[in-house]
Amino acid sequence: MTFSLAVVVPTPAHSSVSGPLSYQSELPLAPGTLVRVPLGRREVLGVVWDDAAQAENARPTSDNKPISGVLDGLEPLTAQWRQLVTFSSRYYQRGLGEVALAALPPQLRDMNTVQLARRLKRQRPDESVVTTQGPTLTDEQAQALGTFESEPGPFLLFGATGSGKTEVYLQAVASLLAREPGAQALVMVPEINLTPQLQARFIARFGETNVVAMNSGMTNPQRLKSWLSAHSGTARIVLGTRMAVFASMPHLRLIVVDEEHDPSYKQQEGARYSARDLAVLRGKQEGAKVLLGSATPSLESWHATESGKYKRLVMAARVGESGGFPAVRLVDMNLQPKRAVFSVQLLHALQQRVARGEQSLIFLNRRGYAPVLSCTACEWKSECPNCSAYRVFHKIDRTLRCHHCGFTEPVPRACPECGNVDIAAVGRGTERLEENLAELLAPIRRPNGEPVRIARMDADSTRLKGALEQQLALVHAGEVDVLVGTQMVTKGHDFRGITLVAALNADSALFSSDFRAPERLFSLLMQAAGRAGRDAAQASASEMWVQTFHPRHPLFTALRAHDYPAFAAQQLKEREQAGMPPFGYQALLRADARTQEAAQAFLQTAAAQAQDVQDADRVVLYPAVPLTIQRVANVERAQMLVESASRVALQRFLAAWQPVLHATKEKGLIRWAIDVDPLMI
Ligand code: ADP
Ligand code: ZN
Ligand code: ZN
């Protein structure tokens, strides 16, 4: 007797076959069972999806092949896990197989039964967790935790930087593990850079064996190990970046999303899911409590607390006696000499800090020495031949590097167009800022009479493994007086000795065409301010400096008052009037092609054919436009915005539009993709 099984396999991203395939098996296998099956000439990992009745509907492979093997000893993936994958695939308009298999460690396929058995024997679930006692909670923390424990949620913990959110997460997890033997918790962070410090705190509290990491920086063997540990229930706590939202955790009871506003939670390729949104959904499906945390919540989550969908928990004060926040100083750059990098006031303040032996942090969102090199005699600029962007001048190794396609060349000795040897660096990146500062601060002495120590931290300086940890350790040890960096330095780090933070060049976001730019800027500046004065003794004297040509902009008024709610109210009002998220729903259809004409032609054809698609009358299709950086690595990019006042209508429309898109051919088209709830427009 043979049984028909519906098996989800890794189908290519753009095949129109996206559901399960049908295979034969001599034994009935429970849904969720992991199997090896033939696909084309390969043998791939697959997941048995539904009961045999539904298998009838699964597409038969050409000859209805038998499965090649079962991964014995592994518990089937739970129905809730399969639901999460099914939902994600539908909602984000991608193949089921693509989503399901991306969520599993690649090495699982190659495990034979013997190896698996050996691996699983090493897992020892159901050990009771010994938890180290944490500090006594502050009143605000205790109240937040109390409400969290007694109500259903989901919750948004609106807690200022340094208010002790992490401690609330730790104690929420501790009390869950104490209450429910075997229960599991998922804790997500936006950046891989932030996992080591959080991991250290969790391990200190819960012990090494109970905590596993899950992020894209891990090797395949490490991923497999973490996955097995979570799947078998041995790991009580999974700490991870966005991919961890798909971790198989059969006893999941609590999900924490730290810094929930962070754009890194949105996957930017393949299935473009929002791990934060999926976390909320997963919590609801599995009966796990969800705790989102941020000092500057996303406007979507903030709005959800106003409409009552989420419960808001507030921690306004910083932990410590003074609990103060840094004073915000706005410098009107209109009143400074033309092209001044540092205002007189800011420079003076920096010098004072150095002389007093305090630390400062300066950030500028541009790495490299200068964003453009330009010939002083002709029109030549350091354009990238493959992209519609300039190559950035990196002085350290005298290269011109494209930050979009990676194309790198040595800096030419003379202008390639006219032979002029006088080529000038235009504008400023972190490398140049570091150089400027060294000159400006050279005369200043530290309290011990020694010269100032300046360090730079950005994607270039931290490229080598271990470099970031090393640089952070120097800052923590007080061996750096002024730290220059990109926004990388503003996130999460618990620097104790910094009393001055300065943002240069923040203005461009104020007038960006992306309606989310102000939200991102406000959150960046608040997070940056959060790095100053974390030591209670210095909190009152700490400062956040912003140099701007628009000091009276309402965003800065709110920043000055540390008033996120005022900023959010103003932004939400604008969004409501314009029908923008969270009051309206959006998706992007994006096309990559050999020429811009082909990319746009595809989008226009797709739009023309959308007329007869279900719910077309409830969506608005905007004209096709090139992306801001329209060509990258010789690929032309264009997109079309799709909007609707109804999430359901938008979903129905997109689902019905998909087959039309698959059938739309355009010469020169390379690929297309749908981005649901896009973050960058
Ligand atoms: P957040 O995540 O809100 O920025 P953290 O949880 O990192 O804040 O807390 C900031 C600092 O205060 C940390 O050094 C932390 O160890 C300390 N802290 C947090 N809660 C308490 C508490 N209840 N008692 C003493 N120290 C605390
Ligand atoms: Zn020239
Ligand atoms: Zn390029």
Side-chain angles (χ1 to χ4, degrees), residues 152-165:
F155 299 88
L156 174 67
L157 177 55
F158 172 49
T161 51
S163 62
K165 293 185 289 297

Side-chain angles (χ1 to χ4, degrees), residues 93 587-590 602-614 616 619-622 640-642 650-664 672-674:
Q93 310 286 326
L588 285 175
L589 176 59
R590 297 189 41 169
F602 169 80
L603 298 175
Q604 277 148 9
T605 310
Q609 292 178 340
Q611 305 310 324
D612 307 326
V613 165
Q614 188 187 5
V619 303
V620 178
L621 297 177
Y622 285 81
M640 177 186 278
L641 180 63
V642 185
L650 179 63
Q651 277 291 317
R652 274 201 302 252
F653 170 78
L654 292 174
W657 202 23
Q658 277 249 20
V660 177
L661 298 175
H662 279 292
T664 304
W672 57 267
I674 293 176

Side-chain angles (χ1 to χ4, degrees), residues 383-391 401-407 631-634:
E383 267 163 34
C384 174
N386 310 322
C387 307
S388 50
Y390 294 116
R391 278 176 298 166
R401 279 191 234 159
C402 176
H403 287 184
H404 302 282
C405 73
F407 182 65
R631 186 168 49 102
V632 167
N634 287 322

Side-chain angles (χ1 to χ4, degrees), residues 294-338:
S294 176
T296 51
S298 64
L299 291 174
E300 282 81 0
S301 298
W302 186 255
H303 180 63
T305 63
E306 308 227 296
S307 68
K309 238 173 96 189
Y310 299 172
K311 171 94 190 167
R312 190 188 301 166
L313 309 170
V314 182
M315 301 197 311
R318 282 182 162 183
V319 177
E321 303 114 275
S322 67
F325 290 96
V328 174
R329 306 234 177 281
L330 296 172
V331 183
D332 186 347
M333 292 306 277
N334 297 298
L335 308 177
Q336 297 293 322
K338 261 215 168 75

Side-chain angles (χ1 to χ4, degrees), residues 128-137 167 169-175 177-178 200-208 210-211 237:
S128 70
V129 180
V130 182
T131 303
T132 317
Q133 185 81 38
T136 310
L137 294 179
E167 190 55 46
Y169 308 151
L170 285 160
Q171 301 213 13
V173 173
S175 97
L177 299 191
R201 277 175 87 172
F202 271 83
I203 287 176
R205 197 66 61 86
F206 300 103
E208 188 114 38
N210 292 307
V211 183
I237 300 159

Side-chain angles (χ1 to χ4, degrees), residues 479-616:
E479 286 174 30
V480 169
D481 304 307
V482 182
L483 179 64
V484 173
T486 50
Q487 61 171 302
M488 178 190 271
V489 299
T490 63
K491 288 189 184 174
H493 303 293
D494 195 16
F495 296 133
R496 306 307 300 183
I498 288 180
T499 61
L500 182 149
V501 173
L504 311 182
N505 259 1
D507 285 352
S508 59
L510 295 177
F511 306 99
S512 163
S513 61
D514 185 341
F515 71 94
R516 282 195 177 85
E519 179 183 358
R520 281 197 291 269
L521 175 63
F522 187 81
S523 131
L524 178 69
L525 295 176
M526 285 286 276
Q527 293 292 333
R531 297 315 114 211
R534 291 174 83 86
D535 219 349
Q538 297 168 326
S540 52
S542 68
E543 292 174 341
M544 161 89 198
W545 288 68
V546 181
Q547 298 194 149
T548 172
F549 287 94
H550 307 277
R552 268 164 295 279
H553 196 284
L555 186 148
F556 294 130
T557 315
L559 178 73
R560 205 172 196 162
H562 297 279
D563 194 348
Y564 170 84
F567 172 75
Q570 174 259 326
Q571 286 284 310
L572 283 171
K573 202 165 119 200
E574 281 180 22
R575 297 232 191 138
E576 185 164 24
Q577 280 161 0
M580 304 242 208
F583 302 96
Y585 301 91
Q586 298 181 327
L588 285 175
L589 176 59
R590 297 189 41 169
D592 288 352
R594 300 269 165 243
T595 64
Q596 184 61 221
E597 292 70 36
Q600 296 202 19
F602 169 80
L603 298 175
Q604 277 148 9
T605 310
Q609 292 178 340
Q611 305 310 324
D612 307 326
V613 165
Q614 188 187 5
D615 282 296

